[in-house]
Amino acid sequence: MNKHWNNKIILITGAGSGIGRALAQLFAGEGAQLILTDIKADGLAETTESVASSVLLSKQADVSSLEDWRMLVQEIEQGPGHIDVLVNNAGMAPFGYFDETSEALFNKVMDVNFNGVVNGCREMLPLLEKAERGLIVNVASIFGLIAVPACSSYHASKFAVRGFTEALKQDLMFQKKSVDVVCVMPGGIKTNIANFAESDSADARDFAKHFASVALTSPEKAAKVIEKGMRNNTFRILIGPDAKVVDWLYKLLPTSYYRITNPLLGIRKILG
Ligand code: NAD
């Protein structure tokens, strides 16, 4: 066991599935004390049961709700009084062209994927500052660096998470606050994200099938890469060979990468 996380208090959002669940299980094995949240009670209960002895608090909460964040802050203040790590992981990925996506769905994606992260950082920062050294882990995506068609709300939210995270890191550095910030940029991870997708597009089922065939990395492997990046305070944590190739292609072809990434990701297969 790596002593780094022993007894550290780690809050993970979206802990009821995929990457969040794998992180909870990994950190439980490392002796951390967990605060787990998810909007879905059933997934959260399953994760909580699987790591029960490490769970300090398990709470159904919506990251886009300030009220839910403030309730969590209150419970933490009345309990341990601080957290060491905040992992802003919860997210959703709808599919469909911009003009097929309702205003309500577009705004919901921004509320969950982007405002959810900002809310978490704002509300939890005082509790992170009470730790010996706090750490914020914001899960963006390689789709916060490049874009593909039919995912405009997802890209808008993830580009925003990356921009916010890069700015926040520098704010905290300049303010000499004792809180580090890292940004996670996964490529395709084999989770339920496409199956859970809310969508206004008729092609959403094809998207889920296609996603399952191109996602290369398991959530457990993703959790290992994230843990290592957190331990080393790696600012941009790229996950999977696809993320590394895309990161490199973007540097090489910043305005025409899509001529290569779209065929590489098989976009034509779903969009025709
Ligand atoms: P997942 O769907 O398996 O898990 C996401 C979890 O977030 C679910 O349990 C869901 O209930 C929860 N959630 C959704 N909306 C929420 C809300 N409003 N409040 C609280 N919880 C909410 O997906 P995942 O792949 O594990 O995704 C985790 C993060 O990784 C997301 O931010 C996603 O955008 C990002 N990501 C995933 C991939 C991938 O290929 N799977 C790639 C890049 C980035």
Side-chain angles (χ1 to χ4, degrees):
M1 187 164 62
N2 173 348
K3 289 216 175 99
H4 194 91
W5 306 108
N6 200 27
N7 280 325
K8 291 279 188 307
I9 301 173
I10 303 182
L11 191 165
I12 304 171
T13 69
S17 174
I19 298 171
R21 173 174 292 172
L23 281 171
Q25 291 171 343
L26 185 154
F27 285 120
E30 300 283 340
Q33 300 181 61
L34 302 174
I35 299 174
L36 305 177
T37 74
D38 202 289
I39 198 165
K40 291 198 183 124
D42 49 350
L44 180 64
E46 274 176 39
T47 305
T48 303
E49 207 183 307
S50 74
V51 291
S53 59
S54 305
V55 176
L56 215 53
L57 181 64
S58 171
K59 198 96 193 157
Q60 185 176 10
D62 176 353
V63 290
S64 68
S65 157
L66 263 181
E67 206 185 325
D68 284 4
W69 277 109
R70 288 180 181 157
M71 221 169 50
L72 266 173
V73 167
Q74 260 186 15
E75 294 209 31
I76 296 167
E77 278 172 347
Q78 286 159 11
H82 80 280
I83 60 171
D84 296 283
V85 181
L86 166 66
V87 185
N88 282 311
N89 163 74
M92 59 187 288
F95 178 79
Y97 288 118
F98 175 64
D99 66 358
E100 296 169 351
T101 304
S102 65
E103 185 186 346
L105 181 57
F106 196 103
N107 291 342
K108 180 174 179 184
V109 176
M110 291 304 289
D111 264 350
V112 173
N113 289 3
F114 177 56
N115 289 329
V117 169
V118 177
N119 289 340
C121 291
R122 186 184 292 113
E123 299 304 315
M124 290 294 156
L125 190 56
L127 293 174
L128 284 158
E129 285 186 76
K130 289 188 183 149
E132 209 179 300
R133 181 111 206 144
L135 176 65
I136 292 173
V137 181
N138 287 345
V139 181
S141 168
I142 201 64
F143 282 176
L145 185 69
I146 66 146
V148 294
C151 294
S152 60
S153 59
Y154 190 74
H155 287 301
S157 68
K158 294 297 185 176
F159 273 62
V161 169
R162 180 168 68 84
F164 168 70
T165 305
E166 293 186 7
L168 178 66
K169 180 186 181 75
Q170 295 181 53
D171 276 9
L172 300 184
M173 273 168 62
F174 267 71
Q175 292 174 301
K176 296 195 174 19
K177 297 217 186 220
S178 58
V179 180
D180 297 312
V181 181
V182 298
C183 187
V184 180
M185 311 266 285
I189 314 295
K190 292 179 191 298
T191 69
N192 272 320
I193 195 151
N195 297 324
F196 285 163
E198 278 176 54
S199 184
D200 296 324
S201 161
D203 297 325
R205 270 172 190 274
D206 295 342
F207 166 60
K209 240 199 268 166
H210 180 70
F211 177 80
S213 73
V214 293
L216 299 173
T217 305
S218 70
E220 291 74 24
K221 171 74 187 164
K224 278 191 188 156
V225 177
I226 294 170
E227 184 279 326
K228 186 173 175 210
M230 289 166 61
R231 198 165 8 99
N232 295 330
N233 198 11
T234 304
F235 179 46
R236 184 176 286 184
I237 304 173
L238 293 166
I239 306 179
D242 46 353
K244 286 177 189 150
V245 169
V246 165
D247 181 55
W248 176 80
L249 273 172
Y250 180 75
K251 284 177 192 143
L252 197 69
L253 302 167
T255 55
S256 57
Y257 61 79
Y258 58 87
R259 291 180 203 278
I260 297 180
T261 48
N262 283 352
L264 213 64
L265 296 169
I267 299 297
R268 282 235 167 273
K269 274 196 209 150
I270 28 173
L271 292 174

